[in-house]
Amino acid sequence: MSLRTVRSETPRRAASSGPGHSRGVWSSESSVSRRPDVVVASEQSLPERDEFELVMPGGTQAAAKLAGRDPGTNIAVLRLSQPASPPVLVPGETQAGALALALGADGTGGVSARLGLVNLAGTQWHSVAGGLIDRRIVLDLRLGRAEEGGPVFSAAGAFLGMSTLGPRARVLVIPAATLERIVPILLKEGRVARGWLGVALHPVAVPDALRETAGQASGMMVMSLAEGGPAAKAGIVAGDIVLSVNDAAASGFRRIAGQFAADSIGRKAALRVIRGGNLLSLDAVIEARPPT
Amino acid sequence: MSAVPQAVPALVIRVLVHATDPVRREVLRQLVIDAGHLPVDSPMDADAVLSDQVHAGFAAMPEHSGQGLFTPRELEVLGAIGDGFTNKMIARRLEISPHTVKFHVESLLRKLGARTRAEAVAKAREHRLSNTVEL
């Protein structure tokens, strides 16, 4: 899939539900099915509604409907009522120390630009919401909230991904590879299915007396359960300490997050837990994470 | 003593007030007016945004080294401190000796880098919010 900028935005005046509307919105085109009517935006900055008015280059307005949103990867997709003709973007890679150019929309059909260094370029990571992001790219530049969700380019003009504001206003990039994976799913299904256990977990130290039996020094305590969720149905109770999920030690979130990809739905999650000083094994059936 | 003068800022800032709850929104609006600034309705006209929502940003799953994690017992003690319990009350609630409670409290303060119980509760809340993941 190649991605193309529209430099369009949700108009600030039309957006009535509060601040943080996405301004850096742009279009994508799949190489499989050409979609000049598709616009990509930052999910966290897009208001909760189905219809949008976008400001196109030059200031004209265009109506768009929400096609899908995925909080897990911060990707939202809109469908324009009229096809646009944005330039073709060529995806590329980057490395730490390279230059990056982040574009945003100024709200009247123009562009804002920010230049900075690639602070970090690492491997894949999981977001708190459970999404898998293909590369960790952090930029050493400042970005206004209004500019979030625009395309990021390398100095050579290659398309790196979509700008996203992280904690403490750090600027992250949702890489082109992740957009290529998620956008088609959102166009087809409106959301991205993920496995779900229905528990809130908090890392804890395994008490000294149980360390040898547990075979590990830390686990995840069940802080709360979703009523009728997979874990509750399997007999997990609040206060249980999860030691492993399908043989993946629950000593870090990243390690167990890999157990809950879309293809995990319907599969068994074998849970090894400590309850009241005893080791227990319980089986849960992974369900689809309900829409938030 | 003279009355507290009305705040006159050097620069009047146009502030967009955002809150889902209308009462809260009105309180925030009044706050802006009292400070001598101008509340506006459109993000287009705003220089700044005052929101009751914490825009935490798109975050990665927290990762820990395994060092400094609380034990389940320490979490219970921490919860009791948060409820305003004294060591003696905690000992009764958890059916352990006050000496053991003191030991747990000291360990908690050390792990959190807190000097007081109140500081420990505040830091623990932050720690818990940023380290609890729903799966």
Side-chain angles (χ1 to χ4, degrees), chain A residues 91-95 135 154 158-160 177:
Chain A
E93 296 291 330
T94 190
Q95 58 191 23
R135 279 181 246 327
S154 72
F159 173 67
L160 301 179

Side-chain angles (χ1 to χ4, degrees), chain A residues 12-13 15 17-19 21 23 44 71-74 107 125-128 130 133 145 164-168 172 174 196-205 207 218 220-221 223 241 251-254 256-257 260 289, chain B residues 16-20 25 41-46 48-51 53-76 111 124 126-135:
Chain A
R12 303 178 195 189
R13 287 187 193 281
S17 62
H21 305 299
R23 314 262 153 70
Q44 66 180 356
T73 54
N74 193 36
W125 57 288
H126 279 92
S127 71
V128 166
I133 318 295
R145 193 177 287 159
T164 285
L165 286 172
R168 290 176 294 279
L172 314 172
I174 301 302
W196 182 65
L197 210 50
V199 283
L201 299 173
H202 184 82
V204 287
S218 67
M220 298 284 173
M221 185 181 263
M223 307 306 278
I241 300 169
S251 52
F253 286 115
R254 283 180 216 170
I256 47 173
F260 296 93
R289 189 187 271 243
Chain B
L16 176 78
V17 174
H18 176 68
T20 333
R25 190 182 136 78
D41 295 322
S42 163
M44 193 81 153
D45 305 325
V49 175
L50 180 62
S51 172
Q53 285 175 9
V54 180
H55 291 275
F58 190 69
M61 273 197 185
E63 213 44 56
H64 55 86
S65 61
Q67 299 293 309
L69 286 179
F70 303 125
T71 63
R73 195 53 128 184
E74 283 169 348
L75 283 177
E76 283 180 302
K111 284 180 182 175
E126 206 175 294
H127 178 266
R128 181 167 163 166
L129 278 177
S130 56
N131 284 287
T132 301
V133 168
E134 285 174 37
L135 273 181

Side-chain angles (χ1 to χ4, degrees), chain A residues 51-67:
Chain A
E51 300 199 357
F52 296 87
E53 285 286 322
L54 306 189
V55 177
M56 308 300 281
T60 55
Q61 299 215 344
K65 281 203 167 95
L66 183 76

